[in-house]
Amino acid sequence: MLARKLKGIFLAFIILFMQFGILNKPASALDRIQLEGQAVALTPGAREAANLLGILPKVERLMQLKQARQGNESIPLTDEELGLKVDVLDKVLGASMEVRMVSGRIDRDLSWAFAGQGALNAKQQKILNSIFTVNFMQIGVLGVLSGPAFLNGRGALGSELLLLASSIGLVLSMLAFAQTNVGYKKAVDGDATILTDVLKVQKPVTTEHESKLVVKYLDSVPPGARDGKSRSQALIDNWKKGKYLRNMSEPNLEKLSAVVPAGKKYKIGAAEFNRRIRMLFDTQYTIELFHEELVELLRAAEIS
């Protein structure tokens, strides 16, 4: 309770500072003006943000008061207007911190995905380097041995050594080709990612620092969208189009989302890590676009 009061006082001082004045005068006749019938204009993004935060009526009332003050900017803020600005600023700052929190989680998930992909690629490359080294060594050794055979008139033996070197080289090249296409896999570990909310994957436990606001934002339709698709659905369609989401089977979605239900064990390779990384980047970009709507909301309420 004390922290809540201190937060309110802090926000109030911010508003007072931005308005370059302190409310020490009695309320003017502005309080008695009937403003309910006035039209209030909000950008589509600001309106969506206000709806998601549940403060649309407060924002509309604040804008009505702002319109009534046009031409009378010298009149100090009323208690009602100050209270509305504090409430709006409190909600917007809280939403911005939630977006930043979720974006930070995605950064952590991306770090794990890059580390897992790098480990698998390094392991594969180490084996490929070993195969290449053995191949070069056997070609060199057998080539050196075939030289004296030819010089001493034993052409058949020299030819056999060169044929053996070519055969071994062919086998090693086939092994390298198979290694390149097969690769290695590692067990799925770490916490469930934000992709569980986009792909609607059932989570075994509640995700740490889960944000209902961000999930609500992803499930909403962007202002002006002609296809009527939510942000989550638009992401899924783009991933399907780009071949990052090749099927919607439950095991595949759980692997991409880093969800391992009880009794199951999943392993993923470098290709799956690459798809997860792309999907996490796309989701992070979409979530951080919410900041633009929050800025529009602040500007509409003349708080920024």
Side-chain angles (χ1 to χ4, degrees):
M1 182 64 71
L2 179 60
R4 182 71 178 179
K5 290 182 179 179
L6 291 175
K7 184 179 180 181
I9 294 173
F10 174 71
L11 293 175
F13 273 113
I14 293 177
I15 299 295
L16 291 173
F17 178 77
M18 289 188 295
Q19 294 298 325
F20 301 98
I22 299 178
L23 300 180
N24 54 6
K25 298 181 181 180
S28 65
L30 184 62
D31 292 330
R32 298 187 296 272
I33 298 178
Q34 299 298 323
L35 300 170
E36 285 73 9
Q38 294 186 12
V40 177
L42 280 173
T43 63
R47 181 172 292 276
E48 183 190 27
N51 273 320
L52 291 173
L53 298 178
I55 56 174
L56 182 58
K58 291 183 179 181
V59 173
E60 290 179 338
R61 175 61 179 169
L62 186 58
M63 294 187 66
Q64 289 172 351
L65 293 171
K66 181 187 71 174
Q67 290 175 356
R69 288 168 55 84
Q70 290 181 356
N72 297 289
E73 285 75 10
S74 60
I75 299 177
L77 294 176
T78 64
D79 291 341
E80 179 189 8
E81 192 170 357
L82 177 60
L84 289 172
K85 286 198 172 189
V86 169
D87 289 343
V88 172
L89 182 59
D90 180 38
K91 289 290 187 180
V92 171
L93 289 179
S96 180
M97 285 187 278
E98 282 195 47
V99 172
R100 185 58 255 169
M101 175 190 72
V102 174
S103 183
R105 277 189 52 219
I106 295 176
D107 285 335
R108 181 194 63 179
D109 295 334
L110 283 168
S111 177
W112 287 353
F114 276 119
Q117 183 187 47
L120 292 178
N121 287 335
K123 184 177 182 180
Q124 182 186 55
Q125 191 60 48
K126 182 179 180 180
I127 294 179
L128 287 174
N129 290 340
S130 299
I131 294 175
F132 296 151
T133 301
V134 171
N135 191 22
F136 289 136
M137 290 180 63
Q138 67 89 18
I139 290 176
V141 170
L142 294 177
V144 169
L145 293 177
S146 67
F150 285 115
L151 292 175
N152 294 325
R154 302 173 65 182
L157 177 60
S159 299
E160 289 178 359
L161 291 174
L162 292 179
L163 180 60
L164 179 61
S166 299
S167 300
I168 295 175
L170 178 61
V171 172
L172 292 176
S173 297
M174 293 176 63
L175 289 175
F177 179 77
Q179 181 67 29
T180 302
N181 287 273
V182 175
Y184 288 92
K185 294 187 177 183
K186 70 183 297 291
V188 176
D189 56 3
D191 297 331
T193 69
I194 188 66
L195 296 178
T196 57
D197 297 312
V198 179
L199 301 173
K200 306 307 176 189
V201 177
Q202 183 67 33
K203 291 172 281 191
V205 293
T206 302
T207 305
E208 182 183 7
H209 305 310
E210 183 176 4
S211 173
K212 294 182 179 179
L213 175 62
V214 171
V215 175
K216 190 177 179 181
Y217 173 76
L218 289 172
D219 291 338
S220 62
V221 179
R226 297 180 179 180
D227 53 12
K229 295 180 181 179
S230 66
R231 293 177 174 86
S232 295
Q233 188 59 49
L235 285 171
I236 291 174
D237 290 345
N238 288 334
W239 294 334
K240 289 180 178 179
K241 185 177 180 180
K243 306 298 183 182
Y244 294 100
L245 187 59
R246 301 188 177 184
N247 65 78
M248 294 293 289
S249 65
E250 183 178 357
N252 184 51
L253 298 183
E254 289 176 343
K255 289 179 184 179
L256 292 172
S257 304
V259 173
V260 183
K264 293 184 179 180
K265 292 183 180 180
Y266 291 138
K267 290 186 176 182
I268 59 176
E272 287 85 359
F273 272 120
N274 184 60
R275 290 196 286 270
R276 181 192 291 178
I277 289 170
R278 171 57 187 269
M279 294 165 74
L280 285 172
F281 270 126
D282 289 346
T283 304
Q284 185 179 47
Y285 173 76
T286 301
I287 291 173
E288 292 192 344
L289 287 177
F290 192 26
H291 276 136
E292 295 184 5
E293 297 188 357
L294 295 176
V295 171
E296 290 180 13
L297 181 57
L298 287 177
R299 288 175 177 171
E302 286 194 347
I303 299 177
S304 59

